[in-house]
Amino acid sequence: MNILVINSGSSSLKYQLYNMDDESVLAKGLVERIGMDSSILNHKPTGKAEVTEVSEILEHNTAIRKVLACLTDKEHGVIESINEINAVGHRVVHGGEFFNASALVDADAKTKIRQLIDLAPLHNPAAMMGINATEVNMPGVPQVVVFDTAFHQTMPEKAYMYAIPRVLYNKYKVRRYGAHGTSHDFVSKAAAEYLERPLEDLRIITCHIGNGGSVTAVQGGVSVDTSMGMTPLEGLMMGTRSGDLDPAIVPYVMNKEELSVGEVNSMLNKHSGLLAISGVSSDMRDIIDGMEKGEPNSTLAFEMYEYRLRKYIGSYTAAMNGVDAIVFTAGVGENASLLREKLLNNLTFLGIELDAEANKVRSGDPRRISTVDSKVQVLVVPTNEELVIARDTHRIVQGINC
């Protein structure tokens, strides 16, 4: 069975085609600048030359059509016909309380995704564009939606409720939902497999840190708490997001600077975090480079980032009454060895013993960066959210074909 995985943004579309017999990637690619006359399609077929095409792609229907043309191209394609694609899996950011697992796309699922647009105004409409475009170009092919929030639907009420009037939850479902669920799910399972221990017996803290970032407490294989909130703004300090802050700052700054709701929302989401403190970049590589050159603002940005991440790890250790493993994943988590070193050397009270040499090694495979005798095992596990989507799509489509 071949599964096409699509991650649709408002002006972009990422894709991967999987052969589920061995979970190999047949091809992957990215369409950028959708809606412009200079759109870019970058197609990477496995074992063949990479292809880049610049053309006018004004909407997602055309983007999907061009992707399918690349996949079936005689020279650069990997399949002979789109009939060889058995199903399509879509990443959807917000499933609210409607979805605690992946689901087959039908009229009801599409209605619920639209109803959640207020909770994910940038992401859910883009996902719907991808779903509708797929339906137009591949009529009759089953589609499955996989939600970033679904993994966190196991959180208990004490973890997901906010201490505000309950009427706001009853009327508008204001609560913690979290994000990056497919990643936290994948790496926690991969960690248990690496450690050769039952997932049900483990208390794991998973740190998905890239330009966006979140930490999740995974106990017995389920999410019991996570750092992102109703939106991805809460929690860790991130590349351009503020993370946790005193909510009174918002009306105070709005009054002082005469900002609109939209302007303060943009400030907190796009002009805060590492970018705001360093004054240089939202990229951890640039921050570390600046710190090593003695730039005080880069140093402060790094120290704040590490400090806030460390506090979350400490709080989730308390929440689970202990921790057996800590897992780092995503762009910063997998590659910023200096950040991991500084962080873990500040968590020695947990009995963590860092293997300094192992921490410096870069690898595409799961690896241990603590000593074997460390009381808490620390791993770096490359995430693979696309594979999770492909697996869920495969499982659900197999179920309807039985």
Side-chain angles (χ1 to χ4, degrees):
M1 182 179 284
N2 293 327
I3 303 291
L4 179 61
V5 172
I6 290 176
N7 183 349
S8 181
S10 58
S11 62
S12 66
L13 189 144
K14 295 179 183 177
Y15 65 93
Q16 289 195 26
L17 181 64
Y18 281 89
N19 177 348
M20 296 309 294
D21 291 342
D22 56 5
E23 296 187 340
S24 60
V25 177
L26 300 177
K28 61 183 177 180
L30 170 65
V31 184
E32 299 177 274
R33 297 166 61 88
I34 297 173
M36 303 181 188
D37 58 8
S38 57
S39 305
I40 303 169
L41 190 158
N42 186 244
H43 175 67
K44 299 179 180 179
T46 301
K48 296 183 179 181
E50 186 176 322
V51 181
T52 299
E53 175 188 327
V54 179
S55 63
E56 181 181 81
I57 302 177
L58 297 181
E59 32 69 47
H60 286 66
N61 285 349
T62 304
I64 293 286
R65 187 169 68 250
K66 285 187 174 290
V67 167
L68 295 174
C70 283
L71 291 171
T72 56
D73 183 81
K74 288 186 177 180
E75 185 178 353
H76 303 291
V78 292
I79 55 176
E80 291 186 5
S81 164
I82 62 172
N83 294 329
E84 294 178 39
I85 300 174
N86 303 100
V88 179
H90 296 269
R91 179 203 178 202
V92 181
V93 166
H94 220 301
E97 291 189 338
F98 291 131
F99 300 96
N100 60 10
S102 302
L104 191 70
V105 173
D106 56 17
D108 181 59
K110 288 191 284 187
T111 296
K112 288 174 177 174
I113 292 169
R114 291 191 190 99
Q115 288 174 356
L116 294 165
I117 283 175
D118 283 349
L119 294 178
L122 298 178
H123 298 98
N124 277 30
M128 282 305 307
M129 286 190 283
I131 291 167
N132 292 333
T134 301
E135 199 169 63
V136 168
N137 287 281
M138 306 174 69
V141 175
Q143 298 187 74
V144 169
V145 279
V146 181
F147 299 92
D148 280 10
T149 54
F151 181 63
H152 302 301
Q153 283 295 299
T154 53
M155 285 189 293
E157 192 174 33
K158 65 183 179 184
Y160 71 70
M161 287 295 291
Y162 290 115
I164 57 178
R166 193 176 180 94
V167 65
L168 297 173
Y169 170 73
N170 294 337
K171 290 176 67 175
Y172 309 115
K173 299 303 178 186
V174 175
R175 51 157 286 180
R176 180 181 306 281
Y177 290 100
H180 301 137
T182 51
S183 179
H184 290 294
D185 184 19
F186 178 85
V187 300
S188 60
K189 289 175 179 173
E193 184 177 343
Y194 182 92
L195 295 171
E196 298 182 338
R197 295 181 60 183
L199 182 61
E200 297 75 19
D201 296 343
L202 291 172
R203 296 163 297 181
I204 303 174
I205 296 174
T206 51
C207 306
H208 176 109
I209 45 177
N211 192 262
S214 61
V215 182
T216 295
V218 182
Q219 187 165 13
V222 300
S223 171
V224 295
D225 205 348
T226 194
S227 59
M228 282 184 168
M230 187 180 85
T231 76
L233 183 58
E234 187 182 359
L236 300 174
M237 176 181 176
M238 305 174 219
T240 62
R241 295 184 187 128
S242 65
D244 295 336
L245 80 168
D246 181 349
I249 291 172
V250 174
Y252 179 82
V253 172
M254 288 179 71
N255 182 55
K256 291 291 185 181
E257 294 292 321
E258 297 183 349
L259 299 178
S260 67
V261 172
E263 286 170 332
V264 78
N265 187 55
S266 179
M267 179 190 76
L268 296 175
N269 277 285
K270 298 179 181 179
H271 304 285
S272 297
L274 288 173
L275 177 63
I277 300 301
S278 71
V280 174
S281 175
S282 62
D283 192 312
M284 180 58 74
R285 291 168 294 188
D286 296 332
I287 303 302
I288 291 174
D289 183 57
M291 182 177 65
E292 291 175 342
K293 291 177 180 176
E295 295 174 2
N297 290 339
S298 293
T299 300
L300 176 60
F302 180 91
E303 290 178 346
M304 288 175 64
Y305 190 99
E306 182 275 330
Y307 180 65
R308 290 180 173 213
L309 177 56
R310 183 176 7 134
K311 288 203 296 181
Y312 263 103
I313 291 172
S315 68
Y316 286 170
T317 299
M320 296 188 292
N321 194 25
V323 60
D324 301 300
I326 297 171
V327 182
F328 294 97
T329 193
V332 176
E334 293 172 32
N335 297 302
S337 59
L338 180 61
L339 175 69
R340 296 193 303 260
E341 178 187 340
K342 297 288 187 183
L343 175 71
L344 295 172
N345 284 337
N346 284 321
L347 290 171
T348 53
F349 76 96
L350 292 175
I352 293 174
E353 296 178 11
L354 175 67
D355 184 330
E357 292 306 313
N359 183 48
K360 294 175 184 177
V361 174
R362 288 198 174 194
S363 171
D365 299 317
R367 62 195 186 278
R368 188 197 320 261
I369 61 171
S370 57
T371 65
V372 176
D373 296 328
S374 177
K375 290 183 179 179
V376 178
Q377 293 297 297
V378 185
L379 307 177
V380 176
V381 179
T383 192
N384 195 335
E385 295 168 276
E386 291 80 8
L387 181 56
V388 174
I389 295 170
R391 285 173 174 172
D392 273 17
T393 302
H394 186 218
R395 172 180 53 80
I396 289 171
V397 171
Q398 277 192 318
I400 64 173
N401 289 336
C402 289

